[in-house]
């Protein structure tokens, strides 16, 4: 009986250690992009759909590990729509950026005395307005 208890305890410790190691590697795995990239999260996009979009672009290998982490930390699933600049930092860091709504800001300058038609033309030609 003691051998059975010790065997079960040993297997539980080994399983926990392996699970912890996998969790740590998932938390630290980078988003597979070579340079900073703009990415638009559309209104109504859920966590699973976001992960599938990233998987289709080969930015992540599989979604199941991130889905497990999202089950452990449900705040990660509250995504905000907008345009974000993603970097090759960890996947979780990029998800938290989207979760916190840290969108890209763009500026536009109107020069004093500039004609309205020139301002409108500049707005029309501005790429992100």
């Amino acid at each position: 009986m003691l051998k059975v208890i010790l065997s079960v305890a040993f297997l539980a410790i080994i399983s926990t250690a392996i699970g912890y190691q996998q969790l740590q590697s998932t938390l630290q795995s980078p988003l597979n992009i070579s340079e900073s990239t703009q990415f638009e999260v559309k209104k109504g996009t859920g966590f699973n759909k976001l992960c599938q979009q990233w998987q289709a672009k080969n930015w992540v290998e599989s979604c199941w590990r991130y889905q497990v982490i999202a089950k452990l930390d449900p705040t990660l699933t509250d995504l905000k729509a907008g345009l974000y600049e993603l970097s090759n930092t960890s996947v979780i860091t990029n998800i938290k950026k989207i979760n916190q709504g840290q969108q890209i800001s763009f500026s536009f300058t109107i020069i004093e005395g500039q004609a309205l038609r020139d301002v409108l033309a500049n707005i029309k030609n501005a790429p992100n307005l």
Side-chain angles (χ1 to χ4, degrees):
M1 182 68 170
L2 183 60
K3 286 183 179 181
V4 172
I5 293 172
L6 289 175
S7 296
V8 169
F10 180 73
L11 287 174
I13 290 171
I14 294 297
S15 297
T16 302
I18 291 171
Y20 180 76
Q21 187 273 334
Q22 288 293 319
L23 177 66
Q24 289 302 316
S25 70
T26 300
L27 289 174
Q28 297 171 359
S29 64
L31 194 61
N32 191 21
I33 56 176
S34 58
E35 58 187 36
S36 292
T37 304
Q38 291 182 3
F39 183 78
E40 182 179 7
V41 177
K42 297 187 190 292
K43 185 176 180 179
T45 299
F47 185 85
N48 291 333
K49 185 172 182 178
L50 175 76
C51 192
Q52 290 169 356
Q53 288 173 343
W54 288 2
Q55 189 176 15
K57 293 177 179 278
N58 293 320
W59 291 353
V60 295
E61 287 182 26
S62 79
C63 291
W64 73 268
R65 297 186 304 173
Y66 302 107
Q67 291 168 340
V68 169
I69 291 173
K71 291 289 184 190
L72 296 173
D73 184 5
T75 61
L76 292 175
T77 61
D78 184 27
L79 304 176
K80 311 258 186 313
L83 186 63
Y84 297 92
E85 185 164 351
L86 304 179
S87 60
N88 61 351
T89 58
S90 74
V91 173
I92 299 301
T93 301
N94 284 295
I95 291 173
K96 285 182 179 179
K97 185 184 292 187
I98 295 169
N99 179 265
Q100 295 168 356
Q102 297 175 359
Q103 298 182 38
I104 300 173
S105 297
F106 298 99
S107 63
F108 181 78
T109 304
I110 298 175
I111 301 169
E112 185 177 350
Q114 192 174 25
L116 179 60
R117 67 178 167 273
D118 295 335
V119 172
L120 294 175
N122 289 341
I123 289 174
K124 185 177 181 180
N125 294 331
N128 293 301
L129 292 179

